[in-house]
Amino acid sequence: MRPLKLSQAFTLMESGPVVLVTTHDGTKDNIMTISWTMVMDFTPVFAITTGEWNHSFAALRKHRECVIAIPTVDLLDKVVGIGTCSGADTDKFAKFKLTPVPAQLVRPPLIKECLANIECKVIDIVKKHNIVVLEAVAAYLDTARKEKRTVHAVGDGTFIVDGRKIDRKAMMASRLPSGLC
């Protein structure tokens, strides 16, 4: 093994898929790209990391709602593009040719082209670490969508694409024989 700069250690543990988060600031919709996400426990509670530097943060703080949209690998260039421009001066839905779909329980829209969308309410903001804690209030999955592979940011401008699924549901649901645990 060779030493790794501590400043790069996060690239070994980057978590869930890169997501798009839609917000509404009272006037217009916006989209931001987020790669720092977390599932909290076995409940529909999630966390994202963002802060004052991000145009959407003010809408999250003021209106306390958003949609987490989960894109697939075929949308990667749009996802990266969304993350490299500001909603302060760009209509990202128009620029990246994405379709806003009215949500049922929150003002920010779903994104039609994404595999899944989760409507969320902000339940906490942990200022010290710029963590926005979200509770899901509705979720949708496009089962007709052919592409289902999501992308994961390594953190240095490269991405990993999901591969094949390996099913261990039965093993996890049953008690392991003694000697195996």
Side-chain angles (χ1 to χ4, degrees):
M1 293 206 181
R2 66 174 179 78
L4 178 68
K5 289 182 186 176
L6 235 67
S7 64
Q8 295 298 306
F10 74 94
T11 65
L12 302 171
M13 293 183 54
E14 220 23 84
S15 59
V18 176
V19 300
L20 298 173
V21 176
T22 66
T23 57
H24 186 80
D25 68 5
T27 304
K28 63 182 175 136
D29 297 325
N30 190 36
I31 313 169
M32 67 177 160
T33 300
I34 296 282
S35 62
W36 292 342
T37 62
M38 180 173 60
V39 175
M40 300 179 70
D41 204 5
F42 290 101
T43 62
V45 176
F46 307 97
I48 61 173
T49 301
T50 188
E52 299 286 344
W53 63 87
N54 194 310
H55 178 70
S56 293
F57 184 70
L60 282 168
R61 189 173 49 211
K62 182 176 180 183
H63 297 284
R64 304 190 69 81
E65 58 185 14
C66 66
V67 170
I68 298 173
I70 302 171
T72 49
V73 67
D74 55 320
L75 297 174
L76 182 58
D77 289 345
K78 291 182 183 201
V79 168
V80 172
I82 288 165
T84 59
C85 66
S86 174
D89 54 18
T90 305
D91 177 346
K92 295 184 189 183
F93 277 98
K95 179 172 181 154
F96 296 100
K97 297 179 175 61
L98 294 172
T99 311
V101 175
Q104 298 299 308
L105 302 173
V106 299
R107 175 60 184 93
L110 312 178
I111 300 175
K112 180 181 180 180
E113 291 78 9
C114 286
L115 175 64
N117 286 269
I118 306 167
E119 296 182 35
C120 298
K121 300 279 188 172
V122 175
I123 58 173
D124 195 11
I125 297 177
V126 182
K127 290 179 185 177
K128 181 178 180 183
H129 298 289
N130 296 308
I131 297 171
V132 180
V133 182
L134 306 166
E135 181 173 21
V137 295
Y140 313 92
L141 178 66
D142 184 351
T143 56
R145 198 168 197 318
K146 288 186 175 30
E147 182 60 76
K148 294 183 177 11
R149 296 173 298 156
T150 58
V151 293
H152 302 259
V154 175
D156 62 356
T158 62
F159 298 83
I160 297 170
V161 179
D162 282 342
R164 69 181 174 100
K165 286 188 177 182
I166 301 171
D167 186 342
R168 294 293 184 271
K169 292 176 189 169
M171 182 180 183
M172 291 179 68
S174 66
R175 289 181 51 112
L176 292 174
S178 62
L180 287 181
C181 52

